[in-house]
Amino acid sequence: MAVQTRGTDILADESREHRGRMIELLTKAYWMEIETVMSYISCSINPDGVRAQEIKESLAEDIEEELGHAKLFANRIKELYGVVPGSSSFSAEQNSLQPPAEQTDVVHVIRGVIEAETGAIEHYTSIVDEADGIDWVTQDMVIDILHDEQRHRRLFEGFLREYEAEGLA
Ligand SMILES: [Fe+2]
Ligand SMILES: [Fe+2]
Protein backbone atom coordinates (compact mmCIF):
# COMPACT_ATOMS: atom_id res chain seq x y z
CA MET A 1 0.00 0.00 0.00
CA ALA A 2 2.77 2.42 0.95
CA VAL A 3 4.57 1.59 -2.32
CA GLN A 4 1.53 2.32 -4.52
CA THR A 5 0.95 5.66 -2.84
CA ARG A 6 4.55 6.89 -2.81
CA GLY A 7 4.80 10.57 -3.52
CA THR A 8 1.11 11.16 -2.82
CA ASP A 9 0.25 14.81 -2.33
CA ILE A 10 -2.67 14.65 0.05
CA LEU A 11 -3.80 18.13 -1.02
CA ALA A 12 -3.82 17.31 -4.76
CA ASP A 13 -7.07 16.90 -6.69
CA GLU A 14 -6.45 13.23 -7.30
CA SER A 15 -6.12 12.65 -3.53
CA ARG A 16 -9.77 13.57 -2.95
CA GLU A 17 -10.71 10.05 -1.87
CA HIS A 18 -7.78 9.71 0.53
CA ARG A 19 -8.61 13.10 2.00
CA GLY A 20 -12.23 12.09 2.48
CA ARG A 21 -11.15 9.03 4.42
CA MET A 22 -8.71 11.05 6.56
CA ILE A 23 -11.38 13.67 7.30
CA GLU A 24 -13.80 10.93 8.37
CA LEU A 25 -11.25 9.48 10.81
CA LEU A 26 -10.21 12.93 12.08
CA THR A 27 -13.83 13.92 12.65
CA LYS A 28 -14.42 10.86 14.82
CA ALA A 29 -11.23 11.71 16.73
CA TYR A 30 -12.41 15.31 17.16
CA TRP A 31 -15.70 14.18 18.71
CA MET A 32 -13.90 11.72 20.98
CA GLU A 33 -11.77 14.57 22.33
CA ILE A 34 -14.76 16.88 22.78
CA GLU A 35 -16.63 14.19 24.70
CA THR A 36 -13.52 13.52 26.80
CA VAL A 37 -13.38 17.21 27.72
CA MET A 38 -17.00 17.03 28.91
CA SER A 39 -16.40 13.81 30.83
CA TYR A 40 -13.17 15.03 32.44
CA ILE A 41 -14.84 18.24 33.59
CA SER A 42 -17.52 16.25 35.42
CA CYS A 43 -15.03 13.67 36.71
CA SER A 44 -12.65 16.36 37.95
CA ILE A 45 -15.43 17.97 40.01
CA ASN A 46 -17.91 15.27 41.11
CA PRO A 47 -15.83 12.82 43.17
CA ASP A 48 -15.90 13.08 46.98
CA GLY A 49 -13.34 12.00 49.55
CA VAL A 50 -9.69 12.38 50.51
CA ARG A 51 -8.53 9.78 47.99
CA ALA A 52 -10.42 11.43 45.15
CA GLN A 53 -8.27 14.56 45.26
CA GLU A 54 -5.33 13.17 43.29
CA ILE A 55 -7.65 11.84 40.58
CA LYS A 56 -9.55 15.12 40.38
CA GLU A 57 -6.38 17.18 40.05
CA SER A 58 -4.97 14.89 37.41
CA LEU A 59 -8.17 15.05 35.34
CA ALA A 60 -8.39 18.82 35.75
CA GLU A 61 -4.96 19.08 34.10
CA ASP A 62 -5.93 16.66 31.35
CA ILE A 63 -8.92 18.80 30.32
CA GLU A 64 -6.57 21.37 28.78
CA GLU A 65 -4.56 18.69 27.04
CA GLU A 66 -7.65 16.99 25.57
CA LEU A 67 -9.02 20.35 24.45
CA GLY A 68 -5.69 20.98 22.73
CA HIS A 69 -6.06 17.63 20.95
CA ALA A 70 -9.57 18.58 19.80
CA LYS A 71 -8.19 21.81 18.32
CA LEU A 72 -5.38 19.96 16.54
CA PHE A 73 -7.86 17.55 14.96
CA ALA A 74 -10.16 20.42 13.96
CA ASN A 75 -7.31 22.34 12.34
CA ARG A 76 -6.18 19.29 10.40
CA ILE A 77 -9.75 18.73 9.12
CA LYS A 78 -9.68 22.32 7.82
CA GLU A 79 -6.25 21.93 6.23
CA LEU A 80 -7.53 18.90 4.32
CA TYR A 81 -10.36 21.07 2.89
CA GLY A 82 -12.91 19.59 5.27
CA VAL A 83 -15.38 21.37 7.51
CA VAL A 84 -15.25 21.08 11.30
CA PRO A 85 -18.73 19.77 12.24
CA GLY A 86 -21.27 21.67 14.28
CA SER A 87 -22.61 20.49 17.60
CA SER A 88 -25.78 18.99 16.12
CA SER A 89 -23.82 16.09 14.66
CA PHE A 90 -22.40 15.12 18.04
CA SER A 91 -23.51 11.85 19.61
CA ALA A 92 -22.27 10.69 23.00
CA GLU A 93 -20.50 7.34 23.36
CA GLN A 94 -18.60 7.39 26.65
CA ASN A 95 -20.97 5.30 28.77
CA SER A 96 -18.19 4.33 31.14
CA LEU A 97 -17.53 7.96 32.12
CA GLN A 98 -21.03 8.79 33.32
CA PRO A 99 -21.13 9.79 37.00
CA PRO A 100 -21.32 6.79 39.37
CA ALA A 101 -24.22 6.24 41.76
CA GLU A 102 -21.95 7.21 44.70
CA GLN A 103 -19.52 10.10 44.24
CA THR A 104 -16.99 8.35 46.51
CA ASP A 105 -16.73 5.58 43.89
CA VAL A 106 -13.34 6.67 42.58
CA VAL A 107 -12.62 3.26 41.08
CA HIS A 108 -15.55 3.75 38.70
CA VAL A 109 -13.94 6.97 37.47
CA ILE A 110 -10.47 5.40 37.14
CA ARG A 111 -11.84 2.48 35.13
CA GLY A 112 -13.86 4.88 32.98
CA VAL A 113 -10.76 6.95 32.20
CA ILE A 114 -8.79 3.82 31.28
CA GLU A 115 -11.60 2.74 28.95
CA ALA A 116 -11.81 6.17 27.28
CA GLU A 117 -8.05 6.38 26.83
CA THR A 118 -8.02 2.85 25.41
CA GLY A 119 -10.69 3.83 22.90
CA ALA A 120 -8.62 6.83 21.85
CA ILE A 121 -5.45 4.72 21.59
CA GLU A 122 -7.24 2.20 19.35
CA HIS A 123 -8.74 4.83 17.06
CA TYR A 124 -5.53 6.88 16.79
CA THR A 125 -3.50 3.77 16.07
CA SER A 126 -5.84 3.05 13.16
CA ILE A 127 -5.39 6.62 11.89
CA VAL A 128 -1.60 6.22 12.02
CA ASP A 129 -1.97 2.98 10.00
CA GLU A 130 -4.35 4.43 7.43
CA ALA A 131 -2.32 7.61 6.98
CA ASP A 132 0.83 5.63 6.20
CA GLY A 133 2.19 6.58 2.80
CA ILE A 134 -0.83 8.81 2.20
CA ASP A 135 -0.75 11.66 4.68
CA TRP A 136 2.49 11.98 6.62
CA VAL A 137 1.53 15.19 8.37
CA THR A 138 -1.65 13.72 9.85
CA GLN A 139 0.31 10.63 10.78
CA ASP A 140 3.02 12.65 12.53
CA MET A 141 0.46 14.74 14.43
CA VAL A 142 -1.56 11.72 15.52
CA ILE A 143 1.56 9.86 16.72
CA ASP A 144 2.22 12.73 19.15
CA ILE A 145 -1.38 12.68 20.37
CA LEU A 146 -1.27 8.89 20.66
CA HIS A 147 1.77 9.27 22.90
CA ASP A 148 -0.20 11.64 25.19
CA GLU A 149 -3.07 9.13 25.44
CA GLN A 150 -0.70 6.27 26.26
CA ARG A 151 0.79 8.41 29.01
CA HIS A 152 -2.70 9.19 30.38
CA ARG A 153 -3.70 5.54 30.39
CA ARG A 154 -0.48 4.44 32.06
CA LEU A 155 -0.98 6.97 34.86
CA PHE A 156 -4.53 5.78 35.53
CA GLU A 157 -3.48 2.13 35.36
CA GLY A 158 -1.09 3.03 38.17
CA PHE A 159 -3.94 4.54 40.19
CA LEU A 160 -6.01 1.39 39.64
CA ARG A 161 -3.10 -0.82 40.68
CA GLU A 162 -2.95 0.95 44.02
CA TYR A 163 -6.66 0.32 44.64
CA GLU A 164 -6.28 -3.32 43.56
CA ALA A 165 -3.30 -3.82 45.88
CA GLU A 166 -5.42 -2.65 48.77
CA GLY A 167 -8.35 -4.85 47.77
CA LEU A 168 -10.50 -1.83 46.89
CA ALA A 169 -10.87 -2.60 43.20
FE1 LIG B 1 -6.86 13.37 23.81
FE1 LIG C 1 -6.21 11.39 27.08
Side-chain angles (χ1 to χ4, degrees), residues 90-127:
F90 174 74
S91 70
E93 285 179 359
Q94 289 178 352
N95 294 326
S96 64
L97 277 172
Q98 304 309 304
E102 293 297 331
Q103 299 315 312
T104 49
D105 187 357
V106 179
V107 171
H108 170 99
V109 174
I110 296 171
R111 288 194 198 281
V113 170
I114 292 171
E115 198 177 313
E117 297 291 348
T118 300
I121 287 166
E122 285 170 1
H123 182 54
Y124 302 168
T125 300
S126 72
I127 300 180

Side-chain angles (χ1 to χ4, degrees), residues 69-161:
H69 294 162
K71 288 180 185 170
L72 285 169
F73 284 122
N75 273 298
R76 190 60 188 154
I77 289 168
K78 174 77 172 173
E79 286 164 4
L80 294 177
Y81 305 120
V83 176
V84 183
S87 57
S88 64
S89 54
F90 174 74
S91 70
E93 285 179 359
Q94 289 178 352
N95 294 326
S96 64
L97 277 172
Q98 304 309 304
E102 293 297 331
Q103 299 315 312
T104 49
D105 187 357
V106 179
V107 171
H108 170 99
V109 174
I110 296 171
R111 288 194 198 281
V113 170
I114 292 171
E115 198 177 313
E117 297 291 348
T118 300
I121 287 166
E122 285 170 1
H123 182 54
Y124 302 168
T125 300
S126 72
I127 300 180
V128 169
D129 280 343
E130 291 217 32
D132 200 65
I134 289 168
D135 182 352
W136 301 115
V137 174
T138 293
Q139 189 184 54
D140 187 56
M141 181 189 90
V142 176
I143 286 170
D144 280 346
I145 298 174
L146 177 60
H147 188 186
D148 290 340
E149 312 302 11
Q150 288 180 348
R151 199 166 34 76
H152 293 160
R153 186 174 75 182
R154 180 62 189 87
L155 180 67
F156 275 76
E157 282 172 351
F159 291 145
L160 186 62
R161 202 168 287 180

